[in-house]
Amino acid sequence: MAQPQPLPAYAGYQHFIVTSPSSDHHPFVAHVEINRPAKLNAFFEAMWHELRRVFQQLSSDPDVRAVVLSGAGDRAFTAGLDVTAASEGGVLSADGGLDGARRAARLRRYIADFQECISAVEKCEKPVICVMHGISIGLAIDISCCADIRVCSKDARFAVKEVDIGLAADIGTLARLPKVVGSQSWVKDVCLTARDFSAAEALSVGFVSQVHESKAAALAAAVQIAGFIASKSPVAVQGTKELLNHSRDHTVDDNLRYTGVWNAAALQTNDVTAALMSGLKKKKPTFEKL
Amino acid sequence: MAQPQPLPAYAGYQHFIVTSPSSDHHPFVAHVEINRPAKLNAFFEAMWHELRRVFQQLSSDPDVRAVVLSGAGDRAFTAGLDVTAASEGGVLSADGGLDGARRAARLRRYIADFQECISAVEKCEKPVICVMHGISIGLAIDISCCADIRVCSKDARFAVKEVDIGLAADIGTLARLPKVVGSQSWVKDVCLTARDFSAAEALSVGFVSQVHESKAAALAAAVQIAGFIASKSPVAVQGTKELLNHSRDHTVDDNLRYTGVWNAAALQTNDVTAALMSGLKKKKPTFEKL
Amino acid sequence: MAQPQPLPAYAGYQHFIVTSPSSDHHPFVAHVEINRPAKLNAFFEAMWHELRRVFQQLSSDPDVRAVVLSGAGDRAFTAGLDVTAASEGGVLSADGGLDGARRAARLRRYIADFQECISAVEKCEKPVICVMHGISIGLAIDISCCADIRVCSKDARFAVKEVDIGLAADIGTLARLPKVVGSQSWVKDVCLTARDFSAAEALSVGFVSQVHESKAAALAAAVQIAGFIASKSPVAVQGTKELLNHSRDHTVDDNLRYTGVWNAAALQTNDVTAALMSGLKKKKPTFEKL
Amino acid sequence: MAQPQPLPAYAGYQHFIVTSPSSDHHPFVAHVEINRPAKLNAFFEAMWHELRRVFQQLSSDPDVRAVVLSGAGDRAFTAGLDVTAASEGGVLSADGGLDGARRAARLRRYIADFQECISAVEKCEKPVICVMHGISIGLAIDISCCADIRVCSKDARFAVKEVDIGLAADIGTLARLPKVVGSQSWVKDVCLTARDFSAAEALSVGFVSQVHESKAAALAAAVQIAGFIASKSPVAVQGTKELLNHSRDHTVDDNLRYTGVWNAAALQTNDVTAALMSGLKKKKPTFEKL
Amino acid sequence: MAQPQPLPAYAGYQHFIVTSPSSDHHPFVAHVEINRPAKLNAFFEAMWHELRRVFQQLSSDPDVRAVVLSGAGDRAFTAGLDVTAASEGGVLSADGGLDGARRAARLRRYIADFQECISAVEKCEKPVICVMHGISIGLAIDISCCADIRVCSKDARFAVKEVDIGLAADIGTLARLPKVVGSQSWVKDVCLTARDFSAAEALSVGFVSQVHESKAAALAAAVQIAGFIASKSPVAVQGTKELLNHSRDHTVDDNLRYTGVWNAAALQTNDVTAALMSGLKKKKPTFEKL
Amino acid sequence: MAQPQPLPAYAGYQHFIVTSPSSDHHPFVAHVEINRPAKLNAFFEAMWHELRRVFQQLSSDPDVRAVVLSGAGDRAFTAGLDVTAASEGGVLSADGGLDGARRAARLRRYIADFQECISAVEKCEKPVICVMHGISIGLAIDISCCADIRVCSKDARFAVKEVDIGLAADIGTLARLPKVVGSQSWVKDVCLTARDFSAAEALSVGFVSQVHESKAAALAAAVQIAGFIASKSPVAVQGTKELLNHSRDHTVDDNLRYTGVWNAAALQTNDVTAALMSGLKKKKPTFEKL
């Protein structure tokens, strides 16, 4: 893989590096790295607010058609919430003389805002491929469940860790993980015990789609998938993501109705002709920006 | 397997052959073949309208208790939409001077009608076992997701192909596939990339239940399952299909309530006694038509 | 495993034995045994009413934080409904001169009550680990689908048996099994055919999480999981169970909203501090009763 | 009102007369009359099948933009189900030796088909204004609840009559009436007692929008509303009907999402410009067919 | 109205009197009185537990086909929660040293149990007509929203009073009132301000169906409605109640499907024939018990 | 009414004036005025973005407990969308050479953003009382449906005007209006015809709660309601708003469950004691900020 190119439009972020991986080969792909490796990429409040802004920008950036998300450094995708930072200045610190209802109101707003930041990964209109390696616990699961496809390196060590610090996971794992994999016996097991699970186990239950020898290999594979997706019609790809996400939360009848309305506009695209022509002519199609 | 017998009541169809597979051994089983092998069983509009009529007839035919669906010929279950036919005379062809809203209205009605034709396979009150072999792409996935059980031969080559022609799949794959298998990372992967997947991969993710050496072997296995199901109480079998389909789109509480109302009538059957008696007497029960 | 201790508060039950497995090592764990081994632990009406009472008591018992459920004897977890008893005195027996609507009303109430008894296992606020061995058919599947985690011994023989006696399963299997495992092709197969499936098959589809050599080994493993869960913060564990159960029946957005409200109170616990402190001090935390 | 003109495309129906009311003044309006006045417009099976075909044709007829539905003759909109006909040849007649489950299957299919016929009025893409007069009981309520706007003459006598013949109304009244008016105390009252209610009461609870002195006056008013609607952009009108019907059965968030997708295509119409221009030029806009 | 007769089967209740109002004229009608007039019929915990038992018994009592619910004494239907009693011994009293999460768990169970007691009025399979007079505040609204039909005397003074004691109403008013009447501007007004509203206002918004001069007159009217309903087919009446309640919480499509399944059994009743015959013979039909 | 005081924290807004109406009498009340009277308070894009910011700030401002929303000037609450502005620079203007799918994507994002801005009024945690006068059309209905309580002056002239410019209303009217009033015949009438309706008609269908002689009188009444609400426990008031909004979009069972969890924290407030004490002591309670 050639040297990634920084994407100038994303140069202003502090905790995330956004590059174009090997830009000649993968135009339209953006690579987002969580960039706090000295702290195992653990999150504090400013980081999740920035994460939201990064993915909101990617969502409407016509130069981006697929996104790869990974963690900087060798040791961790992310170790989750930076508990020290959280207990120092945040909502979990002492609450003065507030009664239980007022503390609850404060916590509810805090959680809702936190959830919304992480959900920005899911709401990004472009497919997101998440690359996990090393320590991938707590918030790592919340975030990766918002991605469309998950791959990992064989050294990845996963855990839905929240129970171990006295919490039920509230930033999305309990909402999404049961819908991401099939076996609910397994979901209950890892969520109730907070035990580690390996890359191999993650693969066998369908949490990740591929396991690679190293982080580098996993990243290269993700970039390849992203590049492949980015070479397709963005009308087709982004419609497919939207309709699959809608499907998860609706009945089949409801999704069919929504799909019909969606495609009534989407089929008025030049991409179908472009795709069919390129098939006949055996050459790569070019699609207008979206 | 003995020679299948044509079912006279279904002799009038043009694009589908309906037979009784080896009728002495499998009464109550109907075998539907998509019959356009020279074109890889690709569909044009008249075919999906006929598919609906075939399955509506099967649904209320008291002589049928289970259905096997396969594609004629050696090469394909179906190669999906016949794109040439679609671009020639159909809704996707030139729209004169219609504005975007009017084109959308026309497309919306077209898609809704198309969806309804394919959904007839799911709405058929009798279990449908789908046998897939060779090329099984595009519409092949939409149709097979409407079946209850899927088996295939090892030469089956699957793809959710729509993205490759600039479309989001709108005839049911995006609505049903995420609910047919467990791993959503895999669903997103195959839907967003349009890549092929093999029989072995289909088995490992639970898309198909069995893989066989050849189309003939897969078909024989499907006929056996169908025959086995057809030997059971049709009240029990058809109730089970209905309640499982209801379950997919409802909460547990809602399904329990619906089930209670359903069985309040269904238990007023003679089949329970017939089944229990036959158990005691070690002989095969006979159930009245339904 | 040391000798289990009877739990005095549960001494009054007739068909269930409730003990503390090896109480020094596993405080807060209760072990419930279905206790009718001479009849393969088959259920009659008084038993499912008692099952409800047992689990309602466990649900609010502050001395219990995790529950193991198994069947007494070597031969069966449970052979399901005791058909002889059901046909003798119950609702399925002769109905005098009632018309179809009145028989239906009677059946509907009977089914609703039966469903509610079994659902008590799911509604128990504490995690339930179900240990299945030997004959595990019919009602065995309904009950075990209400548990959070399922393990089994390799001699377990499972079947969704209802179709074989002329019924659609109405006590929960058709509502829950499709949401417990991923492959719907498999669910339809076992529900429509009533065929047996083995421990290995149950493991491969994700119905059970572990298979062990013997019932004793499976039970020991379940007790260990339960003990491990019971050592965690009960606020975290019981919240996790509730939020995962809510997740199954709601959209992601709805679950996130509910989760935020739930945790707004749950985070006002001393358990977070206790858990963090114990992490720092490398000693086991102690949590107040809940 | 000038003499209505028969609409040739609808000449083949036996039990319904379809005309263009005073065609110079009300182009694009179709008037459907239930035409069995000698029997108080009571329905038998062939009639509701024909009703479905009439409204399916109207739904896609580009020359129709609004529909008025009324009953022929002076005495009744409709007296509902023709009980004599129903008991003679239909599903309610003797069932030979069928057991309760098989009778139920037969009834379930019959009811589903009947419901679908009546729902065709609601599914018609064009607004339907229902004019009720005289006897308007039983099926009259089911049908009129499928219309968009209801007006009546002051002699109208309404009743949800089903309870009086031993039935719960199953063709739509119990599904739709509670969503058509506000007071559920009133809905329960009229549905549980089967008592008559007058035009004045219907107006006060919001079941009808207008009460007129005579059937003729009510019809004229309905034709005027229909004509007024038919003079507007059909893209706007039909979108409004669809989005309001969707709203009834979905959350606000879901409807907003669906609306956004719908209008993303609908706003690509020339009608907006046409409407704005006609406003500036103070002349009536002309809209292309839809 | 003749002297009401006590119903012996209900003699054991302490806080509710259950009688047969003028039993010759109104067989099958039960009249339940909240019986704590000295305290304005205010509720404490034992009372709502008893209320549940009363309505559970009525629900399955074949001698009861309609229920009238009122408050004893001249001054109040009910003044709602007995705040003094609640603060003395109940869950709202001091909580020792419990942390916020543990207090929440205790409160959650308490509220859920309280809700379930009141919901028993709604779940009663027989129609309930609620007669409100005098002070009808707080819990009075929660309870009456569970009834099917509400009538009142002109001295009734209503208020959704909870906000005035620092609470959001949590026993059902906020869940049901918005679905009982049409104007949400009015619902928000009375719920957010806790202001009084009169019988006339209650009538004009559709909260009650009738206003009478006195409690006696209102009660007589309710008994008459109940008697009228009780003279109809119980299969039809109880089905109507069930289907209307289902309708409130489901889409039209879902309700139509449920209705079809329900009536597939319910139509297998002798009541239809009995009703039709009595119509022909001009005599009152007799229906078997249900 | 004394002179309103500007609220300094809201001084930076350009199109909205935020004051404290007669601040000695109504602490905790904020009054928001749409401030473009020269253009009949018509909206352009910058205005709805600002509207969102205003209501987001109010939502979390502990000094505000109730909000009044009105339009500046004598002539209009708002005339809705400023069509001239919209056609000049916005998304509705010429789209270059974009194909239908790409125009749709652009429109979809635009509508979603617009909807979200208006929904901020509904999501504001404090009750909003909307005062409507004069021209109140198009967006006026979308906005006011997001308020909790609506009052108006008798000169108010309302219309769901979108159909008249070739659009289906897509900013919330079609999603919320059917749930704000009871009669769907009326909703369909005004939405399909775009006809005007008066203050009197708005009152009779329950769209507004009060009609006053003048804008000033309506405003004074709204301020009074707001002041009254602001004098109550904010824990109770804001909980009541949240639970009523949740109720609209959920089943009764779901809302009861959510309510139980909500109040498990909310009841841990000092406001209950403060409210009860103030009742005993006959003095106005003081509640801490929330």
Side-chain angles (χ1 to χ4, degrees), chain D residues 10 15-19 30-35 51 54-55 58 67-72 77 129 219:
Chain D
Y10 298 80
H15 309 296
F16 298 88
I17 303 175
V18 185
T19 57
H31 176 200
V32 178
E33 278 180 291
I34 311 167
N35 189 32
L51 180 74
V54 171
F55 276 88
L58 291 164
V67 180
V68 173
L69 172 65
S70 69
F77 171 65
I129 295 104
L219 189 55

Side-chain angles (χ1 to χ4, degrees), chain C residues 100-146:
Chain C
R102 285 168 170 80
R103 287 188 66 191
R106 207 177 144 192
L107 284 161
R108 205 166 48 235
R109 288 171 190 153
Y110 179 85
I111 296 168
D113 180 66
F114 195 171
Q115 290 176 340
E116 205 188 299
C117 290
I118 302 306
S119 293
V121 177
E122 180 173 289
K123 285 188 186 139
C124 174
E125 297 184 8
K126 322 299 166 59
V128 178
I129 294 104
C130 187
V131 182
M132 305 176 84
H133 77 285
I135 298 170
S136 299
I137 64 173
L139 201 52
I141 310 296
D142 297 278
I143 292 172
S144 64
C145 284
C146 291

Side-chain angles (χ1 to χ4, degrees), chain A residues 202-282:
Chain A
L203 182 66
S204 78
V205 297
F207 178 64
V208 298
S209 288
Q210 302 174 5
V211 178
H212 293 271
E213 280 300 304
S214 64
K215 180 189 165 188
L219 190 54
V223 168
Q224 190 177 27
I225 299 172
F228 191 55
I229 291 174
S231 72
K232 314 273 178 184
S233 154
V235 170
V237 165
Q238 293 171 30
T240 297
K241 172 166 178 167
E242 166 71 9
L243 296 175
L244 283 171
N245 280 358
H246 183 277
S247 171
R248 179 189 61 193
D249 289 332
H250 291 82
T251 64
V252 164
D253 274 354
D254 241 28
N255 183 261
L256 290 174
R257 184 181 185 180
Y258 185 75
T259 296
V261 176
W262 182 277
N263 260 12
L267 293 176
Q268 299 184 31
T269 179
N270 300 327
D271 292 13
V272 174
T273 308
L276 292 175
M277 281 301 145
S278 77
L280 294 176
K281 297 183 180 173
K282 309 282 181 201

Side-chain angles (χ1 to χ4, degrees), chain D residues 83 100 103-104 107 115 163-168 170 174-175 178-179 182-186 188-189 192-193 248-249, chain E residues 148-150 179-181 206 209 228 232 236-237 240 244-245 247 250-252 255-256 259 263-264 267-268 272 275:
Chain D
V83 179
R103 286 187 66 189
L107 285 161
Q115 289 175 339
V163 156
D164 271 353
I165 52 167
L167 309 174
D170 53 11
L174 303 185
K179 293 167 180 173
S183 170
Q184 299 310 301
S185 192
W186 181 82
K188 290 278 183 78
D189 174 4
L192 290 170
T193 64
R248 179 190 62 195
D249 289 332
Chain E
D148 297 286
I149 301 173
R150 281 161 298 282
K179 294 167 181 173
V180 155
V181 303
S209 289
F228 191 55
K232 315 274 179 185
V237 164
T240 297
L244 283 170
N245 280 359
S247 171
H250 291 83
T251 65
V252 164
N255 183 260
L256 289 175
T259 296
N263 260 11
L267 293 175
Q268 299 186 31
V272 174

Side-chain angles (χ1 to χ4, degrees), chain A residues 10 52-62 64 67 120-126 238 290, chain F residues 109:
Chain A
Y10 297 81
R52 171 165 54 184
R53 288 197 303 279
V54 171
F55 276 88
Q56 284 175 338
Q57 185 176 345
L58 292 164
S59 185
S60 60
D61 183 339
V64 174
V67 180
V121 177
E122 180 173 288
K123 285 189 185 138
C124 175
E125 297 183 8
K126 322 300 166 59
Q238 293 171 30
L290 175 65
Chain F
R109 289 170 189 154

Side-chain angles (χ1 to χ4, degrees), chain F residues 260-280:
Chain F
V261 177
W262 182 277
N263 260 13
L267 293 175
Q268 300 186 30
T269 179
N270 299 327
D271 292 14
V272 173
T273 308
L276 292 175
M277 282 300 146
S278 77
L280 295 175

